[in-house]
């Protein structure tokens, strides 16, 4: 009896406190046991199965790899940490954090506290610069780890989050020679001379940058806008900037109103801070249009890989804060209506924001292929938006995700990494397992 009492006390002491989220799968007729088994299966596909993207290194580290690009990215590392803390996988979380801190995070210099966005799987940096969404996820995942496990189990999670928050504040710096720029944009930063400003959040608009320095801090990526994360920082970061983070959350919501098309709900991959189309500079030496030639459209103004995340990010804010619920419900039905019009099992993964198809030279390639596909990553995020929707169509999207097979296409293309992670996030959302983790009492 005494032993049972002790076990009960220990279980109570480790019970995690969550904000409640809906299990949409169960609401739509799936059995709870089915949903639990499916969620476990999808998690194992990413972390433990034959097509896993998570790999352990020695006794204490691990990384998530973008297999098709042979690297580890702050995107995948921070996603992995967020998933691990949601599932209570402390060993995975700690391994990913140790690898990120050792190989990715700058410990001194201009970029102190920031993370090199891409490394080889042996830890060698492919680039020194940061992609701002990585920092966003690292901070939030660390705060949740502090809330869930405390800060006395070997890693002071709260202190690590606060260190990044302190380092991302605006500062002036002198550019260092660039090592491997961000894909497609590495040369632009090199064009700027003299002292520059570095900041994760643009100090004027309070919107997140595409990259915190160089050309990348002149514009933004709609998929980096996750107002719910700023609300988490305001509640539990304890960094003295709660009012700032609340403003950032509201500004991101206002931005998303402007950045999403009023009819289709689609958004550009990247855009200006006012939500308008991305204006790319034409640097000296770049080819000029020939007389009478139609200028090439900037493909960054299309809905494509990064853009897929926006429906799920808006869903997250709808679930966690509800601060913009009326607009978000309308957005959810608007974007599902568009994809429904394209065919629930047929829509492709890249469009112009008005819903027209891109020309061939606008299509962003992946894994050596330049091709439009019915990608499971987008199937996943559009299905996740069902949480916001009241129309009957939403069940068709949920069923399509449930029944979709994550397997190679006929031509051999397979993305275990990005498609796999977005699929897992969507199953977490729709099963009620992507939640705010509240500090233990």
């Amino acid at each position: 009896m005494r032993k049972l009492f002790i076990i009960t006390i220990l279980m109570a002491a480790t019970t995690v406190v969550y904000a409640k989220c809906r299990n949409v799968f169960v609401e739509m007729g799936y059995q709870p046991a089915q949903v639990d088994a499916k969620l476990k299966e999808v998690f194992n596909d990413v972390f433990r199965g034959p097509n896993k993207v998570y790999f352990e290194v020695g006794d204490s580290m691990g990384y998530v790899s973008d297999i098709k690009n042979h690297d580890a990215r702050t995107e995948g590392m921070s996603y992995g940490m967020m998933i691990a803390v949601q599932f209570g996988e402390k060993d995975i979380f700690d391994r990913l954090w140790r690898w990120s801190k050792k190989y990715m995070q700058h410990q001194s210099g201009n970029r102190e506290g920031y993370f090199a966005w891409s490394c080889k799987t042996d830890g060698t940096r492919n680039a020194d610069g940061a992609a701002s969404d990585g920092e966003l996820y690292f901070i939030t995942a660390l705060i949740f780890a502090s809330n869930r496990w405390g800060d006395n189990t070997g890693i002071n999670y709260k202190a690590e989050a606060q260190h990044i928050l302190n380092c991302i504040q605006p500062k002036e710096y002198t550019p260092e020679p660039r090592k491997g720029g961000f894909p497609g944009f590495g040369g632009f930063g090199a064009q700027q001379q003299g002292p520059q400003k570095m900041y994760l959040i643009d100090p004027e608009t309070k919107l997140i940058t595409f990259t915190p320095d160089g050309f990348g801090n002149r514009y933004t990526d709609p998929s980096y806008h996750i107002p719910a994360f700023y609300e988490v920082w305001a509640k539990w970061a304890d960094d003295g900037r709660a009012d700032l983070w609340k403003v950032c959350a509201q500004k991101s919501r206002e931005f998303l109103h402007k950045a999403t098309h009023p009819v289709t709900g689609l958004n550009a991959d990247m855009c200006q801070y006012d939500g308008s189309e991305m204006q790319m500079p034409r640097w000296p030496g770049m080819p000029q249009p020939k007389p009478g030639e139609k200028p090439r459209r900037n493909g960054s103004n299309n809905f494509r890989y990064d853009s897929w995340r926006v429906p799920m990010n808006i869903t997250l804010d709808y679930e966690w804060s509800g601060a913009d619920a009326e607009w978000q419900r309308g957005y959810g039905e608007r974007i599902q209506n568009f994809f429904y019009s394209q065919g629930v099992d047929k829509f492709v993964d890249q469009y112009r924001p008005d819903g027209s198809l891109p020309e061939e030279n606008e299509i962003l390639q992946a894994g050596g292929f330049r091709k439009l596909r019915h990608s499971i990553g987008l199937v996943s995020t559009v299905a996740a938006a069902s949480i916001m929707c009241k129309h009957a169509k939403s069940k068709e999207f949920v069923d399509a995700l449930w029944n979709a097979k994550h397997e190679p296409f006929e031509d051999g293309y397979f993305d275990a990494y990005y498609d796999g992670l977005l699929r897992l996030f969507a199953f977490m959302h729709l099963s009620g397992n992507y939640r705010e983790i509240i500090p233990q009492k």
Side-chain angles (χ1 to χ4, degrees):
M1 185 70 182
R2 183 173 178 273
K3 183 178 180 181
L4 178 62
F5 175 77
I6 292 171
I7 291 172
T8 303
I9 293 296
L10 288 173
M11 288 178 66
T14 57
T15 299
V16 185
V17 182
Y18 290 111
K20 185 169 178 59
C21 291
R22 293 162 53 204
N23 189 329
V24 174
F25 284 125
V26 171
E27 291 176 13
M28 292 187 173
Y30 293 92
Q31 295 301 310
Q34 277 183 295
V35 176
D36 291 345
K38 188 81 166 181
L39 180 63
K40 183 177 180 180
E41 173 192 318
V42 176
F43 177 89
N44 285 336
D45 283 348
V46 172
F47 285 90
R48 300 191 174 111
N51 294 314
K52 69 179 182 180
V53 297
Y54 168 72
F55 304 91
E56 295 187 351
V57 180
D59 295 331
S60 63
M61 291 193 293
Y63 62 87
V64 169
S65 175
D66 182 349
I67 304 290
K68 66 184 183 302
N69 287 307
H70 315 291
D71 68 349
R73 305 181 171 201
T74 52
E75 169 192 72
M77 297 295 287
S78 59
Y79 282 13
M81 286 169 55
M82 177 60 76
I83 293 164
V85 72
Q86 292 286 332
F87 278 85
E89 295 277 358
K90 188 176 187 300
D91 182 62
I92 293 176
F93 186 99
D94 289 355
R95 284 175 177 271
L96 291 172
W97 173 246
R98 292 187 194 106
W99 201 97
S100 300
K101 184 170 182 176
K102 179 175 181 177
Y103 294 118
M104 292 179 150
Q105 190 178 39
H106 295 274
Q107 301 302 324
S108 61
N110 291 339
R111 303 180 188 277
E112 182 180 356
Y114 284 96
F115 296 78
W117 79 272
S118 170
C119 291
K120 294 181 174 63
T121 55
D122 66 1
T124 305
R125 290 176 184 165
N126 292 320
D128 285 328
S132 299
D133 61 330
E135 278 72 6
L136 195 73
Y137 269 87
F138 278 129
I139 293 164
T140 313
L142 285 163
I143 291 171
F144 280 163
S146 174
N147 288 355
R148 179 162 198 164
W149 298 309
D151 297 310
N152 299 306
T153 61
I155 298 173
N156 188 332
Y157 305 112
K158 178 72 70 70
E160 297 286 6
Q162 290 172 337
H163 175 61
I164 305 169
L165 286 165
N166 290 334
C167 289
I168 65 172
Q169 299 310 305
K171 63 184 176 185
E172 190 170 277
Y173 75 105
T174 301
E176 300 165 343
R178 299 197 77 163
K179 175 186 175 183
F182 203 86
F185 298 90
F188 295 142
Q191 304 293 326
Q192 302 181 59
Q193 304 296 323
Q196 303 293 326
K197 296 286 188 182
M198 183 183 294
Y199 40 78
L200 194 85
I201 307 294
D202 176 65
E204 181 177 343
T205 64
K206 302 298 187 289
L207 300 176
I208 192 168
T209 60
F210 180 61
T211 66
D213 63 335
F215 181 72
N217 65 12
R218 298 185 181 185
Y219 62 99
T220 189
D221 180 326
S223 75
Y224 291 8
H225 288 261
I226 313 180
F229 282 7
Y230 298 127
E231 299 284 4
V232 169
W233 301 2
K235 291 175 186 173
W236 299 306
D238 298 327
D239 68 335
R241 303 183 184 95
D243 289 344
L244 170 61
W245 305 135
K246 289 176 184 176
V247 170
C248 289
Q250 183 55 34
K251 293 295 183 182
S252 267
R253 294 181 187 112
E254 294 169 4
F255 166 82
L256 288 166
H257 288 210
K258 294 180 284 188
T260 52
H261 193 278
V263 177
T264 66
L266 303 178
N267 60 274
D269 224 31
M270 304 171 199
C271 58
Q272 307 297 130
Y273 288 121
D274 63 2
S276 62
E277 285 197 349
M278 176 73 180
Q279 303 299 315
M280 293 293 289
R282 189 168 290 280
W283 299 109
M286 291 180 71
Q288 304 293 319
K290 296 175 183 177
E293 181 183 18
K294 181 181 177 182
R296 176 178 174 178
R297 178 180 166 81
N298 175 12
S300 295
N301 289 324
N302 291 342
F303 179 93
R304 53 191 194 182
Y305 298 106
D306 276 17
S307 310
W308 301 354
R309 299 180 289 212
V310 172
M312 196 152 58
N313 293 342
I314 293 175
T315 299
L316 191 70
D317 192 42
Y318 177 83
E319 286 191 282
W320 288 7
S321 76
D324 197 19
E326 183 178 355
W327 180 86
Q328 290 165 342
R329 282 192 291 268
Y331 161 83
E333 297 197 357
R334 186 161 62 250
I335 199 165
Q336 284 198 342
N337 283 337
F338 170 74
F339 284 112
Y340 196 87
S341 74
Q342 304 296 299
V344 173
D345 297 317
K346 296 178 181 177
F347 61 77
V348 294
D349 53 13
Q350 299 185 47
Y351 290 92
R352 291 174 176 171
D354 66 3
S356 59
L357 292 174
E359 295 181 4
E360 185 175 356
N361 64 3
E362 299 171 47
I363 298 172
L364 184 63
Q365 68 173 2
F369 294 86
R370 188 185 296 275
K371 188 174 181 179
L372 298 177
R373 302 180 184 276
H374 184 65
S375 295
I376 197 169
L378 181 56
V379 170
S380 300
T381 61
V382 176
S386 295
I387 292 169
M388 299 182 287
C389 301
K390 293 183 178 179
H391 59 196
K393 297 171 186 173
S394 62
K395 186 175 189 308
E396 294 188 47
F397 289 99
V398 171
D399 290 342
L401 171 62
W402 183 275
N403 295 317
K405 290 181 169 55
H406 188 200
E407 59 188 13
F409 287 86
E410 290 182 1
D411 59 8
Y413 175 78
F414 180 65
D415 183 10
Y417 167 75
Y418 193 57
D419 279 341
L421 287 166
L422 294 185
R423 178 179 178 234
L424 177 51
F425 273 130
F427 271 91
M428 291 162 60
H429 272 291
L430 291 165
S431 65
N433 285 288
Y434 193 1
R435 300 168 286 191
E436 281 192 301
I437 299 175
I438 298 169
Q440 304 301 295
K441 299 295 184 182

